[in-house]
Amino acid sequence: MKWGIIGLPQVGKTTLFQILTRMRPQESHRYGEAQHIGVVSIPDERLDRLAQVVAPSKVTHATAEFVDVAALRQETMKESAFLQNLRAMDGLVHVVRLFHNEAVPHVHETLDPRRDLMNVEADLILADLGVIENRLERLEKDRKKIKSAELENEQGLLERARQWLESGKPLREASGTEPEKKQLRGFSFLSEKPMLVVPNVDEEQAGKMEEILAAAEFAALRNRPRTRAEAIAGTIEAELATLPDSEVTEFLASYGLTELGSHRILRATIELLDLITFFTLGDKECRAWLIPRGSTALQAAGAIHTDIEKHFIRAETVAWEQFLQAGGWAGTRPKGVLKLEGKEYVVQDGEVLNIRHSG
Ligand SMILES: Nc1nc2c(ncn2[C@@H]2O[C@H](COP(=O)(O)OP(=O)(O)OP(=O)(O)O)[C@@H](O)[C@H]2O)c(=O)[nH]1
Ligand SMILES: [Mg+2]
């Protein structure tokens, strides 16, 4: 799971990166000039509780990767390296400035989240239109040389996508058949990626996230497919990221907050990509894994290791609560809560899996 943090200059992208990764940018890897990459361990209380029962040598949470890319500007949107980098992301986090700070001028001088949202979306759409134009030109040439239904289909699909984009709508909201969507995904269009909008608000607004998200420009996002909004108060959360865990709850409460912004954002990214979690619980390692919803037991095995997938025999499954109630693996057997499933079994969120395999 790889997310690119995008937005206009000076809106709090690097601040959000620090909040999520608890890294100061100079500590993180540098790729190119203004880009930071960080891996975030995704908190999951279920795994923590399961691990208490199993007491393994190691507990491994699922992870997400966040990339703090350079600001979207006219110039950067023309750099192919910049665009290529964005195309490699699974989703985009768009930080929108709502905070007041005299010391930090806004590129467009005034605070106007609706305008900023539209401008950034327009940039993504334009970049996609560029890709489509190029591809259509090529197709035109190829079709003069060879007659092929496949090329004809692709041309039709791209022309429809172009029309959609020209009406000002992002591809993530376009409808289409599964094969069409899959074919479009092959182009890694920017406006096709799931989008998490993150309004970055003033300290005084920290306790009023609900009200902020209810404002017209953000409420409108709610009904859009594969789009979410989750606000943060950048300066507060950045300060929190430096505190020991024991002090976090109290600090949050003093601002009227109940949960870390990073937790809310991580949850939203998982939901946007429609992922579910399953657990493997061994004496050596207890671990959480993310897989697409609807994945089979065989695919879950493949997420762990291709060898386990190849030599799959059966999967023993048990819901995480039942595992806790049983007090561990030994307890699951007499209680009869363990189910034996085959390759085609569809894994459910929060299940504990023990994959039996040969070799
Ligand atoms: N008051 C206030 N200032 C903030 C907030 N978030 C960020 N800032 C300040 O705004 C400035 C820009 O923040 P960054 O996180 O560096 O913004 P950025 O989007 O990464 O900026 P560029 O990478 O230069 O485009 C810094 O001086 C931050 O301290 C916030 O929530 N409130
Ligand atoms: Mg930055």
Side-chain angles (χ1 to χ4, degrees), residues 14-25 27 40 232-249 251-252 260-263:
T14 301
T15 305
L16 177 62
F17 177 83
Q18 291 176 30
I19 292 166
L20 288 166
T21 60
R22 292 179 163 233
M23 272 198 256
R24 259 173 270 123
E27 291 169 11
V40 184
I232 52 150
T235 38
I236 296 177
E237 302 274 353
E239 207 177 323
L240 271 168
T242 64
L243 288 182
D245 287 341
S246 56
E247 291 169 30
V248 167
T249 319
F251 190 89
L252 275 174
L260 280 171
S262 58
H263 290 194

Side-chain angles (χ1 to χ4, degrees), residues 54-321:
V54 181
S57 343
K58 191 170 145 198
V59 181
T60 310
H61 286 255
T63 57
E65 199 174 307
F66 286 88
V67 185
D68 176 20
V69 299
L72 297 192
R73 305 170 193 261
Q74 302 265 294
E75 314 90 78
T76 48
M77 288 309 283
K78 291 197 185 88
E79 286 169 22
S80 65
F82 178 79
L83 293 174
Q84 221 40 53
N85 187 15
L86 281 186
R87 290 201 180 100
M89 305 295 161
D90 295 313
L92 300 175
V93 182
H94 177 195
V95 183
V96 182
R97 176 160 168 182
L98 273 186
F99 66 84
H100 299 80
N101 188 339
E102 296 280 312
V104 183
H106 192 293
V107 268
H108 298 303
E109 277 148 43
T110 52
L111 277 187
D112 185 346
R114 189 194 305 265
R115 174 203 57 207
D116 294 351
L117 279 169
M118 277 173 55
N119 280 347
V120 167
E121 194 84 285
D123 279 342
L124 303 181
I125 287 173
L126 268 180
D128 289 349
L129 278 170
V131 172
I132 291 184
E133 292 301 340
N134 283 342
R135 182 62 193 150
L136 281 174
E137 251 172 57
R138 260 228 79 90
L139 278 172
E140 195 70 31
K141 282 188 199 139
D142 289 352
R143 284 191 58 205
K144 283 194 184 124
K145 283 182 240 150
I146 3 163
K147 264 220 157 329
S148 126
E150 206 176 312
L151 294 184
E152 209 166 308
N153 281 340
E154 188 182 344
Q155 186 174 15
L157 179 66
L158 288 179
E159 275 166 359
R160 284 199 302 280
R162 177 168 66 182
Q163 231 173 20
W164 181 268
L165 290 166
E166 279 172 347
S167 72
K169 287 181 279 193
L171 288 171
R172 84 180 74 85
E173 295 177 17
S175 53
T177 63
E178 245 343 284
E180 283 173 345
K181 283 185 183 166
K182 203 171 161 198
Q183 196 173 1
L184 280 182
R185 231 169 280 142
F187 289 95
S188 306
F189 289 122
L190 298 182
S191 77
E192 195 274 334
K193 298 183 187 301
M195 170 78 85
L196 176 60
V197 173
V198 178
N200 184 10
V201 308
D202 283 319
E203 273 181 39
E204 302 78 52
Q205 302 283 311
K208 300 187 189 136
M209 298 299 188
E210 293 296 318
E211 288 153 57
I212 287 160
L213 293 177
E217 59 270 29
F218 300 116
L221 299 174
R222 231 174 257 175
N223 302 321
R224 301 232 180 131
R226 302 168 68 226
T227 310
R228 287 275 302 263
E230 203 62 73
I232 52 150
T235 38
I236 296 177
E237 302 274 353
E239 207 177 323
L240 271 168
T242 64
L243 288 182
D245 287 341
S246 56
E247 291 169 30
V248 167
T249 319
E250 203 178 318
F251 190 89
L252 275 174
S254 70
Y255 284 98
L257 293 165
T258 49
E259 199 187 5
L260 280 171
S262 58
H263 290 194
R264 286 185 286 117
I265 285 172
L266 287 170
R267 205 162 51 230
T269 57
I270 291 170
E271 285 167 15
L272 272 170
L273 291 180
D274 208 12
L275 302 176
I276 60 161
T277 307
F278 76 88
F279 305 102
T280 52
L281 307 176
D283 294 336
K284 282 206 193 101
E285 187 184 35
C286 286
R287 181 160 177 174
W289 306 82
L290 290 172
I291 49 171
R293 186 182 305 282
S295 295
T296 61
L298 191 66
Q299 286 165 330
I304 301 171
H305 202 287
T306 42
D307 281 350
I308 300 184
E309 182 180 5
K310 225 184 287 170
H311 302 291
F312 182 100
I313 300 172
R314 282 191 175 274
E316 291 176 315
T317 75
V318 51
W320 73 276
E321 298 102 322

Side-chain angles (χ1 to χ4, degrees), residues 294-299 315 317 339 341-348 351 353:
S295 295
T296 61
L298 191 66
Q299 286 165 330
T317 75
K339 293 179 295 167
E341 306 284 0
K343 288 181 181 176
E344 299 304 322
Y345 174 72
V346 175
V347 177
Q348 304 297 306
E351 265 182 324
L353 257 60

